[in-house]
Amino acid sequence: MTILWVLISVAMIGFVLLPVIRRRRGVIEQVPPGHPDAADPANYGFAPQEELDVRMPGPDQDLLDVLDVVQHTQDYRAAAQLLAGTAAAGELRWQRVQAFAGAASLELAQRPGGVDQTPGGQWLRVWRAENPKDAGGAAVHAEFLVQQAWRTSTPGTDDFRIIMEEALSACEDAALLAPGDPIPYLVELSVARGLAYPQAEFEQLWLKILDRAPAHMGAHLAALHYWCEKWHGSRELANSFAEAAAARAPQGSLLAAMPLFAVFEHLPEVNLVRGFYQSEVVTKAMHGALFAVHAARSDDPMLAHVRHLLVFFLVRGERWAEAMSQLVHIDGHVGALPWTLSPDPAAEFAVYRALAVAGYEANGGSPASLPH
């Protein structure tokens, strides 16, 4: 994937510097800024690159408000209250647990502490100390440890294993506090990948999740990583897992988009096949994801995740109008695959957005013709 992103960056650098084009004899040509044929994302009401929010895939104002309070006051109680009021088996709770854990982990990285400095994320330690029976705090603590392992150490090292084993213990504690809650087991999916659970043991863990939240999209995405070729499975196992999830997806579920995520996880390092993104395999996966998006509830917390990945594939497949129809729903937030794999998610997203606008206008599109 590293080589692929380098090639993308080199190939598209012109669109970062001059994200304007026009149609001429059926080809896309760069034109100078200010030209009457120039394509400008701002004309569509899209946010400037510097204003793109890299923290989450879509809006969650309640979460942002609480994060602001917690980080400014270092008082965990607003976070505890928000999680207590969020449905245990829902996608939103999982996203909020990840967000709180990520905020504490990032604070600690920025302020590791010292003689005259309190370490960052102190509010999470106080939360666990003052309210050890709070299931929300226990889940956030377990996810915090997982994120710390991936952020601060290398898989396979003693340091990594020590932190992951501590995270596993924290998962077990969280599960005891809320027996019906799938979140502790979702956190353990990452532990299972890091500690290389045998497949039989991983499947036992997966059954615990299916018993509690059989259609949980976030859980399926986390489990998909384990089955990927780069971890403990193969392309065939990952595709089989994704296709089985799509086949049993209930009406309105985004699980129908799982094959597209499996395709993304196994993209070739260097694609030498012309039209790869118009191939039957990719096209079928895209259509499944488009169907899922169309059928899903507009307030599904995982909807933005699917839309972001669709933008990547639709732009690569030169399906400009469809890419634009996804962008109008997600613009402003870039905290999702594939952008989060880049050192600068906002810049990566902006490149694809500029390409979508350029291709759309090169084929006769305009702000007036784009449905919202």
Side-chain angles (χ1 to χ4, degrees):
M1 288 296 292
T2 301
I3 296 174
L4 179 62
W5 288 115
V6 171
L7 291 175
I8 292 172
S9 299
V10 171
M12 298 181 180
I13 189 69
F15 289 102
V16 176
L17 299 176
L18 294 171
V20 287
I21 62 165
R22 64 180 174 184
R23 188 177 184 180
R24 181 179 178 181
R25 292 188 298 274
V27 299
I28 294 176
E29 177 185 75
Q30 292 180 0
V31 297
H35 189 282
D37 291 334
D40 184 357
N43 293 337
Y44 296 83
F46 293 152
Q49 179 179 325
E50 62 273 13
E51 294 180 11
L52 295 172
D53 192 328
V54 302
R55 294 171 295 180
M56 56 189 67
D60 184 349
Q61 194 58 50
D62 288 341
L63 174 62
L64 291 179
D65 291 343
V66 169
L67 273 173
D68 185 61
V69 169
V70 170
Q71 293 183 314
H72 278 83
T73 66
Q74 290 296 296
D75 187 333
Y76 70 87
R77 285 176 292 182
Q81 184 176 6
L82 182 65
L83 284 184
T86 306
E91 306 281 357
L92 191 59
R93 182 179 174 85
W94 174 228
Q95 292 191 19
R96 287 173 171 177
V97 165
Q98 291 179 298
F100 286 131
S105 181
L106 183 59
E107 282 184 40
L108 183 59
Q110 295 171 339
R111 300 194 311 276
V115 176
D116 299 318
Q117 185 185 56
T118 300
Q122 182 68 19
W123 54 269
L124 178 55
R125 287 182 284 276
V126 174
W127 188 354
R128 294 297 295 130
E130 291 187 354
N131 201 347
K133 300 298 184 182
D134 181 34
V140 172
H141 180 236
E143 174 65 15
F144 166 80
L145 291 169
V146 165
Q147 293 193 27
Q148 281 295 101
W150 293 109
R151 184 190 297 274
T152 64
S153 53
T154 303
T157 63
D158 288 342
D159 286 346
F160 182 83
R161 175 168 289 277
I162 289 170
I163 301 174
M164 276 298 188
E165 288 177 347
E166 185 180 356
L168 176 57
S169 178
C171 289
E172 293 169 349
D173 292 342
L176 288 173
L177 290 172
D181 189 348
I183 300 298
Y185 301 102
L186 265 70
V187 179
E188 191 181 347
L189 289 173
S190 189
V191 176
R193 178 162 54 98
L195 295 182
Y197 279 23
Q199 290 187 2
E201 186 176 348
F202 184 85
E203 288 171 346
Q204 288 299 312
L205 169 62
W206 182 239
L207 287 175
K208 294 177 182 178
I209 293 172
L210 290 183
D211 285 343
R212 292 162 175 80
H216 199 291
M217 180 71 171
H220 280 79
L221 291 177
L224 177 65
H225 290 300
Y226 177 91
W227 294 114
C228 285
E229 190 173 65
K230 60 187 174 184
W231 286 104
H232 310 297
S234 65
R235 181 190 302 266
E236 292 72 24
L237 285 171
N239 287 338
S240 177
F241 175 81
E243 289 168 5
R248 66 171 183 270
Q251 178 66 31
S253 169
L254 287 165
L255 290 177
M258 284 298 299
L260 188 64
F261 285 87
V263 169
F264 177 76
E265 292 294 340
H266 294 91
L267 287 176
E269 290 285 348
V270 179
N271 174 31
L272 301 178
V273 180
R274 184 178 182 184
F276 172 78
Y277 291 91
Q278 292 93 22
S279 68
E280 182 179 353
V281 171
V282 175
T283 299
K284 181 181 177 182
M286 278 198 288
H287 286 170
L290 287 166
F291 169 80
V293 164
H294 177 73
R297 303 188 329 270
S298 60
D299 62 346
D300 191 315
M302 295 301 294
L303 185 55
H305 287 272
V306 181
R307 290 191 189 278
H308 279 287
L309 195 63
L310 272 170
V311 168
F312 172 86
F313 278 99
L314 291 168
V315 168
R316 290 295 197 86
E318 299 181 8
R319 296 168 64 164
W320 313 115
E322 290 170 289
M324 290 293 287
S325 70
Q326 301 303 319
L327 282 168
V328 297
H329 292 286
I330 58 173
D331 189 76
H333 299 84
V334 295
L337 285 175
W339 328 120
T340 49
L341 296 179
S342 168
D344 189 341
E348 194 74 29
F349 175 83
V351 167
Y352 277 80
R353 186 177 63 182
L355 284 170
V357 171
Y360 181 65
E361 294 195 358
N363 286 276
S366 70
S369 64
L370 181 65
H372 286 72

